[in-house]
Amino acid sequence: MKALYRYTLSTVLHSQRYVAPMVFFLALLAILTSSDSGPLLGVYAAAAVSVLACATWLTAAVVNIEEPVGRTIVVVNAGNSRGPLAAAVAVSATFCVGMVVIGLSYPVVSGSHTVSARSVLLGAAAQLTCAAVGIGLGMLCSRLVIGRPGASVLVGLALVLGVILAKPLPPVYPMLHAMTGGHPSAGIGFVGYAAAGLLFLAAAGAATQYIAVRLD
Amino acid sequence: MLTLQSVSKRYRPGRPVLVDVDFATAPGMVQAVTGGNGSGKSTLLRVLAGVSRPTSGTRTGDPGVIGYVPDRFPTNTRLSAEAYLAHMGRIKGLSTARSAERATELLTRLDLVGGPKTPIRELSKGNAQKVALAQALLMPPRLLILDEPWSGLDASAHGVLAQIIVDTARAGGAVVFTDHREAVTGGLATEVYRIEAGRLSRQALPARVHDTASEVLLRATRPQATDLRGLAGMRSLEATGDLVRVRVDRDRCDALLLTALQGGWTVDGVRHNDAAVPPNLLGGVAAGANGLGGVSGVSGGVGGVGSGNGVGSVGGPANPIGGQR
């Protein structure tokens, strides 16, 4: 697994496919959070949306980085197709951790907020949950599932908007609603949102693997 | 050993790519699959490699380490050949040091032009194919799967590849390769299959020449010419001055010639005992000296040895077979 992670990370860094989603993340974060003086948790909700959108884009880019024939070689050398997918998820998660660190610190630096440990912890939980959901969505709109790049972009956009706006769909909408004034004190709820995010990530990974094996 | 039983593969509604294929690999076997474009050769290899799951039928058995060489290598890889092979070695379970050592060894053997530090995307098709071949051999494979491996390779690499196939089989590994040229498959394979519209059928082995011997007369062109002793298939070697007379298995002759030419030898003469020259080639061979001393004549694969003095080259003797059949 370590070897697959190193290979995938090296390929991503050489290809520079991470640059566009990371620049988009920084731009989105700056637009949504700069010079804000409202409650910090509300600003972190906007940062979490940025993380969600960019994690989706980044993960799709990481999974798609290998041409099908290159992926075949890696799968044969690894002995299975789960390892390379898991490595792509791990590399995407590494970039997402970077996004979360920026997403937590930039609003504090750029705006005027009362910073509390509780706000930072809840903000971190929310952004990491959004990262998990974004990675899951990225896998689902990658080449492993959707063969045509144009369709993949449209599906990615629809999925991101869907999870942000769909009220009955946990964990993103209820979590963002709670952060922006719904139930800011419900700390225990964030554990549930994080668990739901991880569950979604696992389900999306399993679905991607299932579909990829059948399409191969 | 790996067995496919009644394997069919269909990518989407429509014509199936493989239909009821039965196939089994075995240690020491070299199995060739021939067929036209789109006949299902690559899909069969992908199923064997475990990359593609059969729509129906079963793939059973654990062949151990698999080396897989696709018909083309990804062209967008920015990693250098050296770095790529180091990563692939580690993924296969080798240490970093051992991966680097094997990579250097293989790239030297395959004579990668451009150097190991050149990004793969900047390599020519043939050199990228050498990297593809090297990654499959980082760990000695128990099952070596090659999809049209000669495509893009230069003549010297052809001989090395043939040697690799033979060495893998002799070490107890199984080799399965595809090629659309039956003349190529016949020279190496112990079993030949043909695939048409997804249906696989066993073919009779072409007339083989592995039981016969060839004699090659070589002359050193430089003092440090490669020592040829111990090459696969060599039956005897007699040296007289700067001349060396080598007796070698007929099916190892081409590999010997390539090794010799690369190693500082020139070919003074070649004689094949089987003398299976296609009749249409005979008419194009003009008169010339017989350079193999008392051994006269040349046959089979004339076009493959263009640099020999006398009998080994087109433009040799009036009767190239020379009564040596």
Side-chain angles (χ1 to χ4, degrees):
Chain A
M1 184 58 202
K2 187 180 164 190
L4 281 167
Y5 176 82
R6 283 179 68 177
Y7 170 68
T8 309
L9 182 62
S10 179
T11 310
V12 170
L13 292 176
H14 272 86
S15 73
Q16 302 183 346
R17 295 270 182 90
Y18 64 93
V19 172
M22 291 303 280
V23 168
F24 180 64
F25 169 74
L26 294 174
L28 201 57
L29 188 68
I31 292 165
L32 294 178
T33 67
S34 288
S35 307
D36 192 297
S37 55
L40 187 58
L41 211 50
V43 182
Y44 280 160
V49 169
S50 309
V51 171
L52 173 66
C54 297
T56 304
W57 184 358
L58 180 82
T59 304
V62 169
V63 175
N64 289 349
I65 221 159
E66 196 84 79
E67 285 181 30
V69 67
R71 181 176 167 273
T72 300
I73 292 173
V74 176
V75 166
V76 172
N77 287 338
N80 62 70
S81 56
R82 291 183 305 279
L85 182 61
V89 169
V91 168
S92 303
T94 305
F95 281 95
C96 286
V97 168
M99 284 190 219
V100 170
V101 169
I102 297 169
L104 289 173
S105 51
Y106 180 77
V108 174
V109 175
S110 67
S112 311
H113 305 285
T114 307
V115 180
S116 68
R118 183 175 161 280
S119 297
V120 174
L121 277 176
L122 290 180
Q127 291 183 31
L128 287 171
T129 301
C130 281
V133 173
I135 292 170
L137 294 179
M139 281 191 280
L140 290 174
C141 56
S142 71
R143 189 191 286 139
L144 297 180
V145 178
I146 302 170
R148 285 181 296 181
S152 159
V153 171
L154 290 176
V155 170
L157 276 171
L159 286 174
V160 169
L161 288 174
V163 296
I164 293 171
L165 301 175
K167 285 186 184 179
L169 206 63
V172 177
Y173 178 84
M175 185 176 68
L176 296 178
H177 183 65
M179 291 171 81
T180 51
H183 307 283
S185 61
I188 190 71
F190 278 73
V191 176
Y193 298 142
L198 290 174
L199 201 65
F200 175 79
L201 173 60
T208 303
Q209 173 68 11
Y210 179 86
I211 295 167
V213 166
R214 268 145 194 82
L215 291 180
D216 258 331
Chain B
M1 180 158 162
L2 191 63
T3 306
L4 303 184
Q5 280 184 314
S6 302
V7 162
S8 296
K9 179 71 183 177
R10 186 191 295 268
Y11 283 110
R12 55 183 66 84
R15 188 175 68 85
V17 184
L18 295 177
V19 183
D20 278 333
V21 168
D22 292 311
F23 188 81
T25 65
M29 296 288 279
V30 179
Q31 295 160 302
V33 181
T34 66
N37 295 332
S39 56
K41 299 191 297 293
S42 297
T43 302
L44 174 64
L45 296 195
R46 288 170 58 84
V47 171
L48 277 173
V51 177
S52 206
R53 175 185 287 204
T55 308
S56 64
T58 57
R59 173 187 182 271
T60 53
D62 179 10
V65 176
I66 298 178
Y68 174 72
V69 181
D71 58 344
R72 61 190 172 81
F73 197 65
T75 50
N76 69 346
T77 311
R78 290 173 189 247
L79 294 176
S80 68
E82 190 179 55
Y84 178 81
L85 291 175
H87 280 296
M88 289 302 124
R90 281 193 291 262
I91 289 170
K92 277 175 175 275
L94 297 174
S95 67
T96 302
R98 182 67 187 137
S99 297
E101 191 185 329
R102 278 293 287 160
T104 306
E105 202 177 295
L106 288 162
L107 293 179
T108 305
R109 185 178 182 191
L110 290 163
D111 192 23
L112 181 80
V113 177
K117 295 193 186 302
T118 307
I120 292 172
R121 64 186 300 185
E122 292 174 17
L123 293 175
S124 66
K125 184 189 174 191
N127 282 301
Q129 188 68 4
K130 289 177 184 176
V131 179
L133 195 54
Q135 63 78 27
L137 300 167
L138 287 166
M139 275 180 98
R142 303 300 296 167
L143 173 59
L144 180 58
I145 298 172
L146 307 157
D147 196 353
E148 306 220 0
W150 283 274
S151 165
L153 289 182
D154 54 31
S156 61
H158 281 210
V160 177
L161 176 57
Q163 183 72 57
I164 286 167
I165 289 174
V166 172
D167 289 349
T168 303
R170 284 187 180 160
V175 182
V176 183
F177 71 90
T178 62
D179 204 285
H180 58 275
R181 299 161 300 177
E182 296 190 8
V184 171
T185 58
L188 282 167
T190 50
E191 282 183 2
V192 177
Y193 292 83
R194 178 150 187 87
I195 190 165
E196 283 179 64
R199 293 184 186 277
L200 189 72
S201 58
R202 176 94 179 259
Q203 302 287 297
L205 207 56
R208 291 300 305 275
V209 289
H210 60 278
D211 291 333
T212 60
S214 301
E215 284 189 44
V216 180
L217 195 61
L218 301 167
R219 184 187 303 276
T221 58
R222 59 174 192 245
Q224 294 83 21
T226 307
D227 187 355
L228 299 171
R229 274 183 284 268
L231 286 182
M234 185 175 292
R235 298 186 180 188
S236 66
L237 184 149
E238 299 165 29
T240 314
D242 63 343
L243 281 177
V244 169
R245 182 187 301 273
V246 180
R247 200 168 148 75
V248 65
D249 290 350
R250 169 67 180 89
D251 55 352
R252 308 295 323 140
C253 184
D254 287 351
L256 168 77
L257 288 170
L258 282 167
T259 307
L261 289 169
Q262 288 170 347
W265 298 86
T266 185
V267 180
D268 269 14
V270 179
R271 184 192 69 174
H272 300 317
N273 288 336
D274 57 297
V277 177
N280 59 345
L281 280 182
L282 300 179
V285 180
N290 181 340
L292 193 52
V295 184
S296 64
V298 63
S299 65
V302 171
V305 184
S307 58
N309 297 332
V311 294
S313 58
V314 173
N319 175 7
I321 297 178
Q324 293 296 323
R325 309 184 83 130

